[in-house]
Amino acid sequence: EPEVTQTPSHQVTQMGQEVILRCVPISNHLYFYWYRQILGQKVEFLVSFYNNEISEKSEIFDDQFSVERPDGSNFTLKIRSTKLEDSAMYFCASSELGTNYGYTFGSGTRLTVV
Amino acid sequence: SQQGEEDPQALSIQEGENATMNCSYKTSINNLQWYRQNSGRGLVHLILIRSNEREKHSGRLRVTLDTSKKSSSLLITASRAADTASYFCATAPNQAGTALIFGKGTTLSVSS
């Protein structure tokens, strides 16, 4: 069964450093998403991406965040200057036809900012 | 906010029993979806119910949707220890191009 692949599975970074989280969505999916989940808490929407541009973003997705689809297969989330409160699990998801169908999630990247 | 809110927050049952989780939301939706998350893992899509549907089944799962009450329930019948996980409802807004919004989840523990 097709999978969404995320790398790395765990990343530790110093506060103020830039991190790039990588995702390979399912190849025929058109919609891509980033969510995050602070330990034990709800799953929070960050950003959705369609047709090579951001289609929606949440209040969390401020100027320190950016997304890219650099080569037609990878989908990346960059955090420019990490803060302690950015520590969370970050999940990438893709969907064939947006919210009319279920999302396929990756296994997540656990980001720890120290 | 349109996010779903699950109830109860935590549920502990014995194997073989049924587990019922509820979800309430605030505004009109296109569909409602349920996801499962094993500890430390990604979310897995279980079932989607559209706003014009009232009930849907998939294996041991039964989902109902009451749009007049803005609520949904997920029933897992004959639960197994392997059903132990967190379960989230997610609402898809009526507006095109908007993303799924997840609730806080129900943590289900099934003991053998």
Side-chain angles (χ1 to χ4, degrees), chain A residues 27 32 69-74:
Chain A
S27 60
F32 314 113
R69 190 157 160 80
D71 55 15
S73 61
N74 291 284

Side-chain angles (χ1 to χ4, degrees), chain B residues 14-30:
Chain B
Q14 297 283 324
E15 261 191 331
E17 293 181 337
N18 295 341
T20 299
M21 288 160 267
N22 303 297
C23 169
S24 60
Y25 58 91
K26 295 182 180 177
T27 59
S28 63
I29 59 171
N30 176 281

Side-chain angles (χ1 to χ4, degrees), chain A residues 31 33 35 37 40-45 47-48 55-56 89 91 98-108 110, chain B residues 3 30-31 33 35 37 40-45 48 50 88 91-93 95 97-105:
Chain A
Y31 294 78
Y33 309 88
Y35 285 80
Q37 184 180 35
Q41 298 189 26
K42 63 183 179 183
V43 178
E44 299 177 296
F45 168 68
V47 66
S48 58
S55 51
E56 187 184 8
M89 281 288 283
F91 292 104
T99 55
N100 286 320
Y101 285 80
Y103 291 3
T104 302
F105 280 81
S107 295
R110 180 172 297 284
Chain B
Q3 63 191 161
N30 176 281
N31 65 72
Q33 305 179 24
Y35 287 78
Q37 183 183 35
R41 305 297 301 272
L43 292 95
V44 175
H45 179 254
L48 180 154
R50 302 195 187 279
F88 294 86
T91 50
Q95 304 158 264
T98 49
L100 287 180
I101 303 299
F102 285 80
K104 296 179 181 178

Side-chain angles (χ1 to χ4, degrees), chain A residues 47-106:
Chain A
V47 66
S48 58
F49 194 85
Y50 170 73
N51 202 24
N52 286 319
E53 61 182 22
I54 291 173
S55 51
E56 187 184 8
K57 58 184 181 180
S58 72
E59 293 173 351
I60 302 169
F61 194 88
D62 61 21
D63 290 345
Q64 72 162 340
F65 290 91
S66 62
V67 289
E68 255 191 339
R69 190 157 160 80
D71 55 15
S73 61
N74 291 284
F75 180 50
T76 62
L77 174 69
K78 182 192 290 186
I79 309 175
R80 289 191 185 81
S81 178
T82 50
K83 304 170 189 167
L84 294 176
E85 54 264 37
D86 293 328
S87 295
M89 281 288 283
Y90 287 80
F91 292 104
C92 172
S94 69
S95 175
E96 191 172 358
L97 288 172
T99 55
N100 286 320
Y101 285 80
Y103 291 3
T104 302
F105 280 81

Side-chain angles (χ1 to χ4, degrees), chain B:
Chain B
S1 164
Q2 180 159 296
Q3 63 191 161
E5 298 290 338
E6 289 90 340
D7 167 59
Q9 285 188 313
L11 181 61
S12 294
I13 58 173
Q14 297 283 324
E15 261 191 331
E17 293 181 337
N18 295 341
T20 299
M21 288 160 267
N22 303 297
C23 169
S24 60
Y25 58 91
K26 295 182 180 177
T27 59
S28 63
I29 59 171
N30 176 281
N31 65 72
L32 185 144
Q33 305 179 24
W34 284 90
Y35 287 78
R36 165 195 168 123
Q37 183 183 35
N38 285 63
S39 181
R41 305 297 301 272
L43 292 95
V44 175
H45 179 254
L46 296 176
I47 196 165
L48 180 154
I49 187 164
R50 302 195 187 279
S51 60
N52 61 353
E53 297 175 310
R54 291 297 166 257
E55 187 171 312
K56 203 160 185 181
H57 297 253
S58 176
R60 293 184 295 113
L61 304 181
R62 173 178 167 251
V63 169
T64 62
L65 179 64
D66 187 335
T67 52
S68 66
K69 294 181 180 177
K70 293 187 169 55
S71 67
S72 172
S73 67
L74 171 67
L75 168 68
I76 304 174
T77 59
S79 62
R80 306 166 183 168
D83 294 328
T84 295
S86 291
Y87 292 83
F88 294 86
C89 72
T91 50
N94 260 332
Q95 304 158 264
T98 49
L100 287 180
I101 303 299
F102 285 80
K104 296 179 181 178
T106 292
T107 300
L108 173 66
S109 297
V110 183
S111 52
S112 52

